[in-house]
Amino acid sequence: MLNPVHLRTLVEVVKTGSFAEAARSLGYTSSAVSQQVSAFERAVGVTLFEREAHSIRPASAALFIAERGAELLAALDGFEQEIAGMVKGLRGRLRLGTFPTASARVVPHAVARLTAERPDAEILLDEAEPDDVLPLVLDGSLDLALVYAYDLVPRTWPDELTVLPLLTESLLVVLPEGHAAARAHVRIEDLRDERWVSSRDGTAGSTCAVRLCAAHGFTPRITFRSNDYGVVQGLVRAGVGVALVPALGYEALPGTVGRLVRGKPLRRHVFAIHRTANANPLLRDALTALAAACDLVADEHLARA
């Protein structure tokens, strides 16, 4: 295998036409330059210079290698700069997992900040629910993920993960505009005879709604299911049911109203998780950008709740 140090020395010798001049340019002794050239000749198996008493003459092989070698050394220098940029977090790739409501409200702000600070970094997004992204974080397929947990559906995270709380959002009961129960704070027991729109069976959102209603003495009659909160609100707007929606998923649009539940606050908590051992240089900046984005989203969208 060719030694890039020897290649750089050869290129400099051809350029200057002298071992002594090359030594001065590179900061070596003439003897060191001569030894490196000899080592290079042994590696390629051909004599590269005609040596005379007070001069040298490059052979055609030396001219060829020096020309091509200069290109390779320039590429190597560029590669070294890219590596240095990656180590400093200026370059590289970050793989981020996120769930749909965070994708719409939080991630755009965070990505905008991160790309402004690190324009040469590559950000890859993968959207899924927490149970789906968790194994991807654990096996290293994702560097970082946004996940959530409901007060009424608590969960724990594996010990090898670092878990950073980012945002606490209220849960809102979404009702058709003009609904009799649409007071400042909704009494859940007033909705026992309503049809409900919920996320898919077995999801944390659906389990939360069922547990909330059970705490008020009834089982909700869930007749429509969708994991898209736009669809959920559309069904509510059409008057076919009521729903429990996290604040990130609520849009204040004509035809529906969102109200807090009377009594103890109902909340969903958003976290960033990553493997504690993950050494990706972009990770710290990404966490800072996500925290700032959550602060901005809280100011914009959650203050009303």
Side-chain angles (χ1 to χ4, degrees):
M1 181 179 293
L2 298 181
N3 186 324
V5 174
H6 295 171
L7 178 59
R8 193 177 299 276
T9 298
L10 172 67
V11 170
E12 194 64 23
V13 171
V14 171
K15 176 182 175 182
T16 61
S18 163
F19 285 178
E21 288 297 326
R24 277 191 286 270
S25 175
L26 295 172
Y28 298 147
T29 64
S30 295
S31 175
V33 167
S34 178
Q35 291 173 13
Q36 290 184 32
V37 169
S38 296
F40 199 99
E41 288 176 325
R42 289 193 297 273
V44 298
V46 65
T47 299
L48 297 173
F49 294 95
E50 297 176 13
R51 294 165 173 83
E52 299 177 357
H54 301 290
S55 66
I56 59 169
R57 184 187 303 274
S60 59
L63 296 174
F64 171 79
I65 294 171
E67 181 181 355
R68 295 298 303 276
E71 298 173 3
L72 291 173
L73 290 171
L76 181 60
D77 288 341
F79 184 47
E80 289 176 343
Q81 291 175 12
E82 289 183 4
I83 292 174
M86 180 194 67
V87 171
K88 295 176 181 178
L90 301 177
R91 294 178 179 270
R93 173 182 296 172
L94 181 91
R95 299 154 298 180
L96 172 64
T98 176
F99 56 93
T101 50
S103 295
R105 295 290 181 84
V106 174
V107 170
H109 294 299
V111 169
R113 172 170 174 157
L114 189 57
T115 53
E117 296 175 350
R118 301 288 183 262
D120 293 323
E122 181 182 8
I123 312 299
L124 303 179
L125 302 179
D126 191 355
E127 187 176 273
E129 295 298 314
D131 285 339
D132 297 319
V133 299
L134 179 59
L136 299 178
V137 175
L138 289 171
D139 70 14
S141 299
L142 292 175
D143 293 298
L144 176 65
L146 294 177
V147 294
Y148 59 78
Y150 290 81
D151 281 340
L152 293 181
V153 193
R155 64 178 304 161
T156 58
W157 308 102
D159 291 340
E160 57 264 48
L161 296 182
T162 292
V163 181
L164 176 67
L166 290 178
L167 180 68
T168 294
E169 54 180 325
S170 297
L171 302 184
L172 305 174
V173 175
V174 183
L175 305 162
E177 198 169 35
H179 193 286
R183 305 178 181 88
H185 289 76
V186 174
R187 289 160 41 96
I188 292 297
E189 55 267 34
D190 291 342
L191 303 176
R192 69 170 59 245
D193 295 327
E194 296 286 342
R195 290 180 295 183
W196 285 72
V197 185
S198 181
S199 54
R200 288 201 307 264
D201 189 28
T203 61
S206 176
T207 301
C208 179
V210 170
R211 290 180 179 179
L212 173 64
C213 294
H216 289 82
F218 70 98
T219 299
R221 182 161 56 104
I222 299 174
T223 53
F224 302 96
R225 292 187 184 273
S226 174
N227 276 13
D228 186 328
Y229 285 120
V231 173
V232 170
Q233 282 196 237
L235 291 168
V236 173
R237 188 180 305 112
V240 299
V242 301
L244 186 69
V245 172
L248 280 179
Y250 175 67
E251 289 283 355
L253 299 174
T256 63
V257 294
R259 296 289 186 263
L260 294 171
V261 175
R262 181 179 179 181
K264 184 178 179 181
L266 287 175
R267 300 168 302 180
R268 186 175 76 165
H269 307 276
V270 178
F271 307 93
I273 61 172
H274 65 87
R275 287 181 299 112
T276 304
N278 190 328
N280 189 328
L282 287 169
L283 191 58
R284 181 180 62 182
D285 291 332
L287 290 170
T288 300
L290 286 168
C294 284
D295 289 342
L296 182 59
V297 166
D299 290 341
E300 290 179 349
H301 302 291
L302 305 182
R304 67 182 183 274

